[in-house]
Amino acid sequence: MKFQSKGVQQFVDESVALCTPDKVVLIDGSEEQLEALRAEAVSTGEMIKLNQELLPGCYLHRTAVNDVARVEGRTFICTEKQEDAGPTNNWMQKDEAYKMLKEIYKGAMKGRTMYVIPYSMGAVGSPFSKIGIELTDSIYVVLNMVIMTRVGQKVLDTLGDSDDFVRGLHAKADIDEEKRYICQFPEDNTIMSVNSGYGGNVLLGKKCFALRIASYLGRQEGWLAEHMLILGLEKPNGETKYIAAAFPSACGKTNLAMLIPPEEFAKKGYKVHTVGDDIAWIRVGADGRMYAINPENGFFGVAPGTNAKSNPNALASTRKNTIFTNVVLNTDNNTVWWEGLDKNPPEHAIDWKGNPWTAEDRANGVKGAHPNSRFTAPAKNCPCISDRFEDPQGVPLDAIIFGGRRAKTAPLVYEARDWNHGVFVGSIMASETTAAASGAVGVVRRDPMAMLPFCGYNMGDYFAHWIEMGDKVTKKPKFFNVNWFRTDEEGHFLWPGFGDNMRVLDWIIRRTEGTADAVETPIGYVPNPEDINLEGLDMTTEDIANLLTVDKTLWKEDAENIEGFYAKLGDKLPKALRKELDTLKANLE
Ligand code: OXD
Ligand code: MN
């Protein structure tokens, strides 16, 4: 196999010598080649072809039972010095990591085929875009990458003889948990993933490249790679404002990105357009504004809970050319099902482990789909995909939102005073553990900018990079924090969420335009209850007032917790953030 780029040639040759596959196949992106791979995966049982009338182009895959989620404990940032990975990442010295990994990869593809996937994160040729080469022995990975990224010969043509690409080597090996490693080498533009076949660990364009490697590249090159959705909010006058928003995993990013406005808003002409649901690459434009692209080409969404009410746009996205992972197979009509899809679980079914799933299992509370089961759906399937989804220049941001899951502390929404305060608000993002997760309830986990598992370098340097970006962004977006998860004394949610989140987005946009009011509190600007449009919602301004309170005692506790988190960063903590924390404390006195 011959490549124009010497770097690609060397990477492929060395990886073939190490993994010794029987065959090497270049993925050219042609439908013919992909169709042959789908047929092969079906013949070996790696994928199940679903009902082609009801779900055209759709397939089901089941992972190994020990391999169902990203594994943060086995994810490493491998650098020369530990300080460069920082206190929030697992670290391995990079030469030692290469040595250890090479032993595991040795001969790992014997009897298998190695697929060479040239892919672009971002529209091919966009100035924001970056190229990767993933080598994998999994057809499932190939077919998912084809949905999630732009794949094929056109990418190699764009790369030409350049060596500027990210190397990704994935081998399933024995799916051995003890030898599972997801290693990023940001200093070498390299990713090595072994002994897993699950999405986030093996679709190397996503978390490994578009966040961990890209965040490092962004710092070198003066841009930002963020764990953010991007949406366009169209107003009745036809103008569209763009918002990027960061939330920890499992806080409803995909739902917010595809929000359907409540009837009263829809009637007036408000619409939401999805640009991205998970990752944003952000650069500063010549006009001093921030511009964002979604580097992905599809959605790797959580299936359970997705339904015609919670997210009709996501559901519609999965009705064709989609790969389902670890959901229920309905054997009566060869379609799929998951908990929370509807109230009619299939009578005859196979669960995500491949076992019969019976009425008795259901009565005993045995779940049919894995809670982290997924759909991989092409972005262009989404009924509300933005017409600027492919815009090579990105979309200009008017607001950046941070959010988390807090029962009491954070109000429904508040606005930061300025850029540095906004960065501070992002840096103190946190979620509380819920009863649904194992372990103690109400424990605060700090997840700055939702990047805790995804920042490819020292978190203190990352904060400093954000602060420094403020000098370049002369036309600054405004920063906000939202919390859809505030509860009453009995633990009931106080805010309906979903489509009604539009009411908060509306206030946010009006704040960026200077047409909505707010009051100053110790933590920032909070709306007056009457500033939130409640038309058509069965809530009083008093209910809203309850959602907007800022309890100084709780915030003092939180400030102590932030202090503890910041202490971990040592001298790397930017002075500007130290100052913001001191201001918060003073405001609370
Ligand atoms: C994801 C995550 O899968 O953040 O997007 O965990
Ligand atoms: Mn995510």
Side-chain angles (χ1 to χ4, degrees):
M1 200 170 282
K2 283 275 159 282
F3 296 94
Q4 203 187 335
S5 155
K6 284 204 189 76
V8 174
Q9 190 71 52
Q10 189 183 356
F11 174 50
V12 172
D13 290 347
E14 285 177 6
S15 303
V16 168
L18 176 64
C19 303
T20 62
D22 284 12
K23 239 171 58 180
V24 184
V25 171
L26 174 67
I27 300 301
D28 59 21
S30 69
E31 193 43 41
E32 224 178 335
Q33 184 188 43
L34 296 175
E35 202 44 39
L37 287 174
R38 291 179 195 117
E40 187 181 334
V42 169
S43 76
T44 60
E46 186 177 349
M47 296 208 307
I48 294 166
K49 193 169 190 166
L50 296 167
N51 184 323
Q52 294 300 294
E53 249 151 62
L54 298 172
L55 295 169
C58 292
Y59 293 81
L60 168 66
H61 170 79
R62 299 187 192 107
T63 64
V65 291
N66 75 358
D67 188 27
V68 292
R70 288 187 291 102
V71 280
E72 289 175 17
R74 305 208 61 93
T75 299
F76 292 83
I77 300 297
C78 307
T79 51
E80 190 65 49
K81 296 194 304 257
Q82 180 159 16
E83 190 193 18
D84 294 325
T88 60
N89 279 314
N90 297 317
W91 174 77
M92 251 192 273
Q93 204 286 333
K94 74 176 183 188
D95 301 317
E96 282 168 27
Y98 281 130
K99 205 164 128 216
M100 183 269 301
L101 288 167
K102 278 183 182 152
E103 283 308 309
I104 303 177
Y105 280 90
K106 203 179 276 176
M109 294 189 190
K110 211 180 205 113
R112 298 180 185 174
T113 300
M114 175 192 277
Y115 300 96
V116 179
I117 315 172
Y119 65 98
S120 175
M121 299 311 293
V124 177
S126 152
F128 284 66
S129 297
K130 296 261 176 204
I131 287 173
I133 305 287
E134 176 163 357
L135 311 179
T136 178
D137 56 357
S138 159
I139 296 181
Y140 169 74
V141 167
V142 172
L143 296 173
N144 274 274
M145 286 294 283
V146 165
I147 298 172
M148 294 305 295
T149 73
R150 284 94 173 166
V151 164
Q153 185 59 43
K154 58 185 187 272
V155 176
L156 286 178
D157 294 344
T158 306
L159 183 66
D161 59 10
S162 164
D163 284 348
D164 185 11
F165 68 97
V166 172
R167 293 152 183 76
L169 178 59
H170 166 244
K172 284 185 289 188
D174 308 312
I175 314 287
D176 177 350
E177 287 168 274
E178 306 290 320
K179 291 188 183 157
R180 185 169 297 157
Y181 289 99
I182 319 298
C183 290
Q184 283 69 199
F185 299 79
E187 291 156 356
D188 304 341
N189 263 350
T190 296
I191 304 158
M192 296 179 82
S193 163
V194 69
N195 274 305
S196 172
Y198 168 81
N201 298 327
V202 299
L203 308 180
L204 301 184
K206 196 174 180 62
K207 306 297 190 182
C208 304
F209 178 171
L211 289 176
R212 297 193 190 102
I213 299 284
S215 60
Y216 176 87
L217 292 175
R219 182 180 177 225
Q220 311 289 311
E221 300 168 1
W223 53 282
L224 295 160
E226 298 301 325
H227 191 197
M228 291 179 180
L229 66 88
I230 310 165
L231 66 82
L233 200 158
E234 185 180 332
K235 301 190 303 174
N237 67 4
E239 191 188 5
T240 301
K241 299 286 178 126
Y242 293 92
I243 298 174
F247 295 85
S249 304
C251 282
K253 284 222 321 277
T254 304
N255 292 345
L256 185 63
M258 299 180 186
L259 178 149
I260 293 185
E263 215 183 303
E264 297 69 26
F265 282 77
K267 269 199 304 229
K268 287 185 197 147
Y270 286 93
K271 289 188 191 109
V272 168
H273 304 286
T274 309
V275 180
D277 80 326
D278 197 38
I279 298 174
W281 283 2
I282 306 172
R283 288 178 184 263
V284 187
D287 60 359
R289 298 181 77 184
M290 290 176 105
Y291 285 82
I293 65 154
N294 168 14
E296 300 191 284
N297 202 25
F299 309 118
F300 184 62
V302 175
T306 304
N307 60 53
K309 202 162 165 267
S310 67
N311 195 338
N313 287 317
L315 191 62
S317 306
T318 67
R319 298 297 92 177
K320 62 179 185 211
N321 302 328
T322 291
I323 299 172
F324 297 94
T325 302
N326 293 342
V327 298
V328 177
L329 177 67
N330 178 339
T331 51
D332 285 330
N333 62 3
N334 201 27
T335 61
V336 288
W337 191 86
W338 49 79
E339 278 72 21
L341 174 64
D342 54 39
K343 298 213 162 68
N344 311 306
E347 238 168 89
H348 302 102
I350 310 264
D351 70 8
W352 70 273
K353 294 180 179 166
N355 300 321
W357 188 56
T358 61
E360 195 183 329
D361 290 329
R362 290 194 285 281
N364 291 332
V366 178
K367 288 206 164 34
H370 188 277
N372 191 35
S373 55
R374 299 277 178 151
F375 54 80
T376 316
K380 65 168 184 279
N381 281 2
C382 180
C384 61
I385 196 74
S386 164
D387 59 5
R388 292 182 70 175
F389 169 67
E390 301 261 13
D391 191 328
Q393 304 304 329
V395 294
L397 298 179
D398 283 299
I400 292 181
I401 301 178
F402 300 114
R405 194 181 269 275
R406 303 300 298 266
K408 295 270 174 291
T409 316
L412 178 64
V413 58
Y414 68 97
E415 177 191 329
R417 291 179 294 268
D418 54 25
W419 181 276
N420 283 2
H421 185 222
V423 175
F424 172 76
V425 169
S427 81
I428 65 167
M429 258 178 69
S431 265
E432 282 155 31
T433 49
T434 62
S438 56
V441 176
V443 176
V444 178
R445 184 203 198 221
R446 301 236 88 96
D447 187 355
M449 311 228 183
M451 285 290 277
L452 188 68
F454 306 119
C455 184
Y457 61 105
N458 191 305
M459 190 61 83
D461 290 331
Y462 168 75
F463 291 159
H465 179 42
W466 258 100
I467 295 285
E468 283 158 21
M469 286 293 288
D471 297 333
K472 293 193 202 156
V473 185
T474 49
K475 296 211 181 76
K476 295 179 169 54
K478 282 184 181 269
F479 290 91
F480 299 84
N481 190 87
V482 300
N483 175 26
W484 316 135
F485 302 97
R486 200 133 153 181
T487 57
D488 63 15
E489 295 313 318
E490 279 92 53
H492 305 119
F493 289 118
L494 292 170
W495 177 247
F498 297 102
D500 287 306
N501 292 335
M502 175 69 208
R503 301 171 192 278
V504 176
L505 299 185
D506 172 54
W507 179 76
I508 286 174
I509 289 302
R510 286 188 289 120
R511 284 298 289 172
T512 67
E513 297 173 335
T515 57
D517 239 336
V519 280
E520 190 160 11
T521 75
I523 62 167
Y525 300 105
V526 172
N528 297 294
E530 57 276 14
D531 295 328
I532 303 278
N533 183 344
L534 297 183
E535 241 178 295
L537 183 65
D538 189 19
M539 276 179 91
T540 60
T541 36
E542 200 170 294
D543 297 331
I544 296 290
N546 274 332
L547 277 158
L548 294 172
T549 53
V550 176
D551 181 325
K552 284 193 183 178
T553 314
L554 290 176
W555 274 95
K556 279 183 191 167
E557 275 169 34
D558 214 47
E560 283 316 307
N561 187 290
I562 297 164
E563 189 76 65
F565 170 65
Y566 273 7
K568 278 212 261 180
L569 300 176
D571 322 331
K572 290 278 189 187
L573 179 74
K575 288 201 177 61
L577 293 188
R578 173 82 253 165
K579 205 169 133 205
E580 292 297 333
L581 178 55
D582 291 343
T583 304
L584 172 66
K585 287 184 167 176
N587 288 351
L588 292 167
E589 285 314 321

